[in-house]
Amino acid sequence: MFDFRITARAGRARNGLLPTPHGLVHTPLFMPVGTLGSVKGISPQEIRDIGSQIVLANTYHLLLRPGPQRVKALGGLHRFAAYSGPWLTDSGGFQVMSLGHLRRISEEGVVFQSHINGDLIELSPEKSVAVQEALGADIIMAFDECPPYPASREYMKESIERTLRWLERCFKAKTRPDQALFAIAQGGIDLELRRISAEATVAFDAPGFAIGGLAVGEPKEAMYPAVELSTRILPESKPRYLMGVGHPEDLVASVALGIDMFDCVYPTRTGRFGYALVAEGRMNLKLTRYLDDPRPIDPECDCYACRHFSRAYLSHLIRAEEMLGLRMVSLHNLRYLHRLMEQARSAIAEKRYGEFARDFARRRFGQEIPGWFARALQEGGHWE
Amino acid sequence: MFDFRITARAGRARNGLLPTPHGLVHTPLFMPVGTLGSVKGISPQEIRDIGSQIVLANTYHLLLRPGPQRVKALGGLHRFAAYSGPWLTDSGGFQVMSLGHLRRISEEGVVFQSHINGDLIELSPEKSVAVQEALGADIIMAFDECPPYPASREYMKESIERTLRWLERCFKAKTRPDQALFAIAQGGIDLELRRISAEATVAFDAPGFAIGGLAVGEPKEAMYPAVELSTRILPESKPRYLMGVGHPEDLVASVALGIDMFDCVYPTRTGRFGYALVAEGRMNLKLTRYLDDPRPIDPECDCYACRHFSRAYLSHLIRAEEMLGLRMVSLHNLRYLHRLMEQARSAIAEKRYGEFARDFARRRFGQEIPGWFARALQEGGHWE
């Protein structure tokens, strides 16, 4: 179980197979976010239909409601949310910070205020693991601190050291053999700290390693060197998960460097705002011109929305804030990212990832391919 | 086309077949409301899966956006909204009144203010028919006035006479032979006016007749005599449509009196508020006790929600205002009403409608069956 096997390589990009108690997953992959145990508006059947493999749920949100003991009593996430494929839960650390109700951080853990009723709640490595064991996901994440961007070097150093001590406590606290605990390397965009954190993290024999603390507001020119460095340090033989990343161009560039897993609210959130992901970027369905456009969002897409609805109808629904519109654009966006990763896997298997990524970039960026993207391909060995 | 055929009778209740250009429908039936061309949150595939037969769209809303010419250019409602089964559009009259932005009513028609941008818009019998021809539903409705409850007898008399003159203008304005124009009898709860309106309305050789102006706030003891009288006057050989009625007990009582068609936002609206329709009435999924209840909403129901989700999960989603929760409870509620009408049709075919209705009432009301319900069964010939 969780014995990651690499099945193909193209430069530093790789295809892998990760067996979990709830099914075999193919990497590289994108994981939809089901914050409260539901990918907003999408049913478990649709999740399967569009080719999702792992669904991510947020420990912070489920801790507040309905509560981990309740989820456990109802059969864990798999039965509670009626999705019997693999789940991943985050540790709650990121949300405590990002939702801005953090009250105190200490060696012991954090105290935060519930964004729902103001209650003070403690979260520690031990408690995060206990909550994640109750929720019962296949993959659980170490409790870490994700410092804000920018943060002082001094604070960052202190933080990564504390996160390493927390990591040790997470492994000690873990009791369920049927869950994989992934470790998270931090360090922001400071390459020296990134190296220190990554090297110390890989000393733990985790079944998978994540890169945290990126895509939190820093420029891409600063983010990619940190990704590149991390993928050189994180073991070849374990899945590498770049947390919170979900823009199509970032998926393509990061896979080039050897990233295997991604998650982000981007496709569903931007979908609810009426933006559909297409090869050229984002289609703003609120624009007047789409009200008369009989074409599907993307004629190449095989999702339910593209097989049945015109841009005109979806634009009408989105303008009127009709639930079906929000649902359909979210569904399309998830399918778009899943198709992108399917295409990436085919390209890796056929040793033409560079060609695939350059084709993607030509449609996405036109003549001007950004430097960070080109460099990721070069450093990944995909540029002649 | 539109040649209604009665296939079974039990007392005054009847089963019928109504052929439309987009399929044969079985009556009695309940029609989900897709105000803006979408049943809130539900896909066309789901509409078919739950056994909906006709979807109702609102002329008033579609006139304001996206506009009838746009819908027409995109292939009419059937293609625009990707539901190729039968559609029915109302005339816009009711919404003009109920949305409260009516500015002037005259012999010519009405002037109202758009609830979206305040524009003054005219609607007349001719314009309503033209808009409904552009939208392209299978069944279109005559432009009528639905006076508020209560209204003075004098006003009501004036109103039903004007509605009759408008009805004549609707039939003159109609050009499409592939659409059925249903006439609407008004008269509120005044049985004398109800009789005058119904008798004058049936003089028009319409392919179907509706009863309007009921379920607008009057007590059930006042509504049922009007339904009972109407079904005696409206022709046996044509479908009878009781507009705006959708509570399960009203469906069962009205079918007993010979009603064939219903529509209402009730199942979807109450679903979005977290109420699930069950045999005993409404289940308020926001109640704390459901947070730990592993059972489906209704173990007898075959909808997707009942086959996959617990009350606990749905209660969690509804409390958190998650879209999937709103969607699933709406879906269940529609399926509940469709199953109820399927059961009614079986009971009529098997000449046991009275037994069916009394079983329904025992579960719905317990020992105290309301007088209006019992009287409807008696007058419908279903009570020994």
Side-chain angles (χ1 to χ4, degrees), chain A residues 220-233:
Chain A
K220 294 207 193 279
E221 288 71 17
M223 173 177 127
Y224 275 93
V227 174
E228 194 276 327
L229 175 69
S230 301
T231 55
R232 275 194 281 122
I233 299 170

Side-chain angles (χ1 to χ4, degrees), chain A residues 75-93:
Chain A
L77 274 173
H78 300 86
R79 229 170 71 201
F80 177 62
Y83 176 68
S84 59
W87 287 83
L88 180 149
T89 44
D90 64 5
S91 70

Side-chain angles (χ1 to χ4, degrees), chain A residues 61-81:
Chain A
H61 291 86
L62 291 168
L63 171 63
L64 298 188
R65 53 184 186 183
Q69 289 316 313
R70 198 164 254 147
V71 174
K72 185 182 180 181
L74 291 156
L77 274 173
H78 300 86
R79 229 170 71 201
F80 177 62

Side-chain angles (χ1 to χ4, degrees), chain B residues 233-244:
Chain B
I233 299 171
L234 301 185
E236 267 293 309
S237 60
K238 300 289 172 69
R240 300 169 184 148
Y241 165 23
L242 181 55
M243 301 182 80

Side-chain angles (χ1 to χ4, degrees), chain A residues 35-46 61-62 65-66 70 73-74 79-82 87 272 288 291-294 304 308-310 312-313 316-317 319-328 330, chain B residues 35-46 61-62 65-66 70 73-74 79-82 87 272 288 291-294 304 308-310 312-313 316-317 319-328 330:
Chain A
T35 296
L36 279 150
S38 151
V39 179
K40 294 203 187 301
I42 313 293
S43 76
Q45 183 61 53
E46 289 162 335
H61 291 86
L62 291 168
R65 53 184 186 183
R70 198 164 254 147
L74 291 156
R79 229 170 71 201
F80 177 62
W87 287 83
R272 293 200 305 280
T288 306
L291 275 177
D292 297 296
D293 192 334
Y304 183 88
H308 292 88
F309 300 125
S310 62
Y313 182 64
H316 161 64
L317 294 184
R319 281 160 169 265
E321 295 178 20
E322 281 282 315
M323 218 194 299
L324 185 62
L326 313 178
R327 175 183 158 192
M328 284 297 133
S330 294
Chain B
T35 297
L36 279 150
S38 151
V39 180
K40 295 204 187 298
I42 313 292
S43 76
Q45 183 59 53
E46 289 162 336
H61 291 86
L62 291 168
R65 51 184 187 184
R70 197 164 255 147
L74 291 157
R79 227 169 72 200
F80 178 62
W87 286 84
R272 294 200 304 283
T288 306
L291 275 177
D292 297 297
D293 192 334
Y304 183 87
H308 292 87
F309 300 125
S310 62
Y313 183 65
H316 161 63
L317 294 183
R319 282 160 169 263
E321 294 177 22
E322 281 282 314
M323 218 193 299
L324 184 63
L326 314 178
R327 174 184 159 194
M328 284 296 132
S330 294

